Amino acid sequence: MIEIFLLSAIQGITEFIPVSSSSHLVIASNFLNFTNQSLSIDVSLHIGSFFAVIFYFKDDIFDFIKNKDLFIKIIISSIPVIIAGYLFVKFNFIDQIRNLEVIGWMTIIFGIIMYFSDKLRQTKNIESNFSFKSAIIIGFLQILSLIPGVSRSGITITAARFLNFKRFDSAKISFLLSIPILFSVSIFGIKNILVSGNFYLTKINIIAIVLSFFFSLLTIKYFLKYIKKFNLNFFVYYRVTLGLFLLIS
């Protein structure tokens, strides 16, 4: 149970900040010798994050109904990574790159890229400037997040910053784009949990969902407060330090 609590905390905290949740789950399992960390648990943790972002942005979701244009852009932007993610799982490519060396290099490289993107001028906002072109560019770049260490949140915020979106708006774009992606993962996960005949496995998954929801909700709230006042340097320094540690350990 302690393992599930720690994994839920790691998922909830790292899913929405630019440090890569998948890589942190792999790192924790490797260094702490967790036995519960698996694709099934990963999916359950993502379900909790999905419920959290839906709950926090419920007002924006209702706006989707009124603003069909934004809704379509969010969907279009999410299609490339959903398709690529399905292919990665189908051909077992994800398991082949879930190792500490890949995570180390990707953590450093994309941390440095994020640093330069955050130094650009910030003039655009999501309400007026999130065009179909922006949605498509960010959507295809999200495919890189399938590589452990890149970070979906990180690559989305980085792409938005390169497109001159304000820091807060870049984060909000990242949150909104996570909805259809996490929904797709959740559907896959819920199906697996329902067809499972193992009660213990089902109970563990439900606990992981609830805890991940709690930690995700807290992270969304306080990360948005943080990014209104500060730049992304802290996350850059953290990524570089973590990446170096993984490569020399």
Side-chain angles (χ1 to χ4, degrees), residues 5 17 75 94 128 172:
F5 179 86
I17 61 176
I75 295 299
I94 289 181
S128 304
K172 189 171 182 179

Side-chain angles (χ1 to χ4, degrees), residues 210-242:
V210 173
L211 290 174
S212 178
F213 170 86
F214 173 76
F215 286 111
S216 295
L217 198 59
L218 288 177
T219 302
I220 295 170
K221 177 180 179 180
Y222 288 105
F223 179 63
L224 284 174
K225 288 185 176 181
Y226 174 91
I227 208 166
K228 282 183 177 180
K229 300 179 180 179
F230 305 101
N231 58 31
L232 297 172
N233 285 354
F234 171 80
F235 300 102
V236 173
Y237 300 149
Y238 172 79
R239 289 181 64 113
V240 172
T241 301
L242 176 62

Side-chain angles (χ1 to χ4, degrees), residues 70-88:
L70 177 60
F71 177 76
I72 293 172
K73 291 172 186 175
I74 295 296
I75 295 299
I76 289 176
S77 190
S78 303
I79 290 175
V81 70
I82 291 174
I83 294 175
Y86 171 77
L87 294 175
F88 273 38

Side-chain angles (χ1 to χ4, degrees), residues 54-67:
I54 286 292
F55 179 81
Y56 192 89
F57 288 101
K58 54 184 180 295
D59 292 336
D60 292 274
I61 292 172
F62 282 119
D63 283 342
F64 284 167
I65 300 175
K66 301 175 183 177
N67 189 354

Side-chain angles (χ1 to χ4, degrees), residues 7-16 21 42-57 175 178-179 182-183 186 208-217 219-220:
L7 288 171
S8 299
I10 293 169
Q11 165 64 24
I13 294 171
T14 60
E15 173 64 31
F16 297 108
S21 60
D42 280 1
V43 169
S44 298
L45 296 173
H46 281 78
I47 292 173
S49 294
F50 168 70
F51 288 151
V53 75
I54 286 292
F55 179 81
Y56 192 89
F57 288 101
F175 285 128
S178 74
I179 293 174
L182 289 172
F183 174 75
S186 299
I209 290 171
V210 173
L211 290 174
S212 178
F213 170 86
F214 173 76
F215 286 111
S216 295
L217 198 59
T219 302
I220 295 170

